[in-house]
Amino acid sequence: MEELIAELKQCIVESLHLEDITPEEIETDAPLFVEGLGLDSIDAVELVAILEKNYGIQVTEMETAKAAFETVGTLAAFVVENRQQA
Amino acid sequence: MSAQTASAGESAASGTVAAPQWEGKRRGGRLGNSFFVVLTRTAVGRALAPFFLFWVALYFLVAVPKTRRVSFDLARRVGRGESALGRLSFAFRHFYTYGAMLIERMALLGGGEELFEIEKHGEESIREGLEEGRGVLLLSSHLGNWEAMAQCLSCIDAPVTLVMYDGVQPQVKAALESLARERSFDVLYTDGGPVSAAGILSALRQGRIVGMMADRTLAGRGVKLPFLGGLADFSVGPYSIAAASRAPVVQVFAMRIASYRYAFHGFSMGVMEYRDRRRKDEDFERWGARYAERLEEFTRRYPHQWGNLYPFWGDSV
């Protein structure tokens, strides 16, 4: 899980082209959207695309998705769960 | 009008209202607005509508200065505002047209689709886009009549999802959900977050026609583009969806030609791909500029159908 979390942080910084922060500086339990990392609607689309491209996960269950996108930690848990079912 | 969604199988979690089986034609009563039913469905009502509209337009012209100023500004921008009389007559016709379209919207909601004539131009761009198998993204605007748009789309045999911002007024929401039930299309409410993004991308992946408005910004990200002699904020969300989904994009208009007569126009914008993912803003500006240019062309042609009745170019009005 730790490896996946680090991987996701790396992915977020690279794919979203975040210039002011390094992957190590992203707090695992800080909010991704609005507060914390402060990602916006364009980043939201990219993040969904990352899940699809890198982990083969198509987000269809909206209720679970809401919880998944809260922090890097919840996102990692979501990836682990959905990877297993794939 | 009340948002009666209990029968619509609404999935609150997903924020999508799914259309059930069409239960019957007599939906007029559901609106609880027999006034509009009389105005649109009876010969007497239709004869009296212009009289009614005249007084409503006059009221807005005289008693609602904020909206009057918006219309005067638009008149100047389209070259009709040289004189005070020019601005006044433009604004009057602007409000009259707004009212006429509102009445015609109500007629559609009341199940009166047989009253309408729709001319179609460029709808093949949607059919061709659907053949690519990644859905089609329609970019619409608040010019003309979107209910007529839904009517135009019903002739294309593909499921439709309309994306609406969650902050719309309750009456608009209710009217939209009512229309969705009538026309069997889905409504997806977006808040700009990842769940909405996933929902929109999922809809496109299923091969659906997805309609988004591109002339207003959701709180936050937008791009300033030249439009009608000034700079206005346009949304960029639709373009990020377009690039992520690689769905063909079509810019669409449903313009009022005459009473109960509309013309649908579709213009292919192709598939959008980022030139440089590190400089997305440049691509957003490029695509947005094409959209704004076409919107300007149609606004100049049909200025009285401009539906953004607020200071579109910021508070300089």
Side-chain angles (χ1 to χ4, degrees):
Chain A
M1 181 70 98
E2 284 306 313
E3 227 181 85
L4 178 61
I5 287 176
E7 192 179 292
L8 280 171
K9 289 180 180 178
Q10 182 74 30
C11 217
I12 285 171
V13 169
E14 274 174 15
S15 298
L16 305 186
H17 305 292
L18 303 181
E19 276 159 21
D20 311 331
I21 195 168
T22 64
E24 298 75 40
E25 284 170 340
I26 299 178
E27 282 176 42
T28 305
D29 298 316
L32 286 171
F33 290 90
V34 183
E35 301 166 329
L37 204 53
L39 301 180
D40 66 16
S41 56
I42 306 305
D43 299 319
V45 176
E46 282 305 315
L47 211 52
V48 172
I50 286 171
L51 284 188
E52 202 163 316
K53 217 171 58 166
N54 296 11
Y55 303 101
I57 299 170
Q58 283 182 2
V59 183
T60 47
E61 274 303 304
M62 301 305 155
E63 187 54 43
T64 30
K66 211 167 152 193
F69 285 101
E70 270 172 38
T71 67
V72 177
T74 55
L75 197 61
F78 181 75
V79 170
V80 164
E81 200 178 305
N82 286 274
R83 249 178 167 175
Q84 283 173 3
Q85 286 167 12
Chain B
M1 284 190 285
S2 60
Q4 293 185 20
T5 54
S7 62
E10 179 185 291
S11 169
S14 68
T16 305
V17 177
Q21 293 299 95
W22 194 34
E23 282 155 44
K25 201 167 168 101
R26 290 276 139 249
R27 290 279 185 173
R30 164 184 289 279
L31 297 177
N33 214 331
S34 49
F35 171 70
F36 279 107
V37 173
V38 165
L39 210 61
T40 58
R41 308 302 298 276
T42 65
V44 166
R46 292 183 65 172
L48 284 178
F51 178 76
F52 165 73
L53 283 170
F54 174 87
W55 289 104
V56 170
L58 195 61
Y59 169 78
F60 272 90
L61 189 62
V62 167
V64 192
K66 258 163 89 170
T67 313
R68 183 178 64 225
R69 271 198 292 276
V70 162
S71 190
F72 281 5
D73 179 60
L74 181 65
R76 280 187 212 99
R77 290 179 187 275
V78 298
R80 317 263 180 118
E82 295 302 314
S83 66
L85 188 61
R87 286 192 290 278
L88 278 168
S89 76
F90 178 90
F92 179 81
R93 195 173 154 195
H94 187 186
F95 301 146
Y96 187 98
T97 307
Y98 194 86
M101 290 202 293
L102 180 65
I103 289 176
E104 285 161 19
R105 277 190 182 111
M106 293 300 166
L108 268 175
L109 285 173
E113 57 268 25
E114 73 278 2
L115 297 168
F116 288 78
E117 259 180 70
I118 315 266
E119 293 171 17
K120 293 184 201 98
H121 310 271
E123 112 214 54
E124 64 279 357
S125 54
I126 299 179
R127 291 185 204 278
E128 281 162 13
L130 284 169
E131 281 165 26
E132 296 194 30
R134 294 186 297 277
V136 168
L137 183 65
L138 299 186
L139 297 189
S140 185
S141 66
H142 293 83
L143 183 75
N145 186 338
W146 66 261
E147 275 88 344
M149 179 83 64
Q151 181 63 17
C152 298
L153 292 178
S154 64
C155 69
I156 298 176
D157 193 24
V160 175
T161 296
L162 290 192
V163 178
M164 294 293 279
Y165 296 135
D166 209 5
V168 292
Q169 292 169 330
Q171 312 100 291
V172 179
K173 226 174 179 176
L176 180 57
E177 283 164 17
S178 179
L179 186 68
R181 281 188 286 277
E182 289 287 340
R183 301 278 176 271
S184 301
F185 60 80
D186 286 0
V187 176
L188 195 154
Y189 294 106
T190 181
D191 59 358
V195 179
S196 315
I200 298 170
L201 290 172
S202 175
L204 284 167
R205 200 184 304 118
Q206 290 166 39
R208 298 179 74 90
I209 297 173
V210 175
M212 294 183 81
M213 293 287 195
D215 62 341
R216 290 186 188 173
T217 52
L218 195 55
R221 202 88 166 240
V223 61
K224 279 210 185 306
L225 298 165
F227 181 70
L228 283 177
L231 282 177
D233 269 318
F234 285 82
S235 58
V236 296
Y239 306 114
S240 74
I241 295 282
S245 65
R246 298 193 63 244
V249 182
V250 179
Q251 185 171 6
V252 291
F253 298 91
M255 308 310 302
R256 187 175 189 261
I257 304 298
S259 185
Y260 293 93
R261 243 183 88 207
Y262 283 80
F264 170 87
H265 295 267
F267 299 95
S268 171
M269 291 182 79
V271 172
M272 294 177 176
E273 284 169 13
Y274 293 119
R275 276 183 187 162
D276 182 348
R277 298 185 80 92
R278 288 165 299 177
R279 297 216 280 269
K280 291 198 187 100
D281 284 331
E282 289 176 9
D283 288 313
F284 293 151
E285 206 174 304
R286 186 165 53 94
W287 296 325
R290 281 174 59 196
Y291 170 87
E293 205 180 302
R294 184 86 66 185
L295 182 62
E296 176 163 338
E297 179 198 324
F298 270 75
T299 308
R300 286 189 184 282
R301 247 160 88 179
Y302 304 97
H304 305 103
Q305 298 184 40
W306 179 251
N308 289 313
L309 296 182
Y310 63 91
F312 193 72
W313 291 263
D315 291 323
S316 52
V317 179

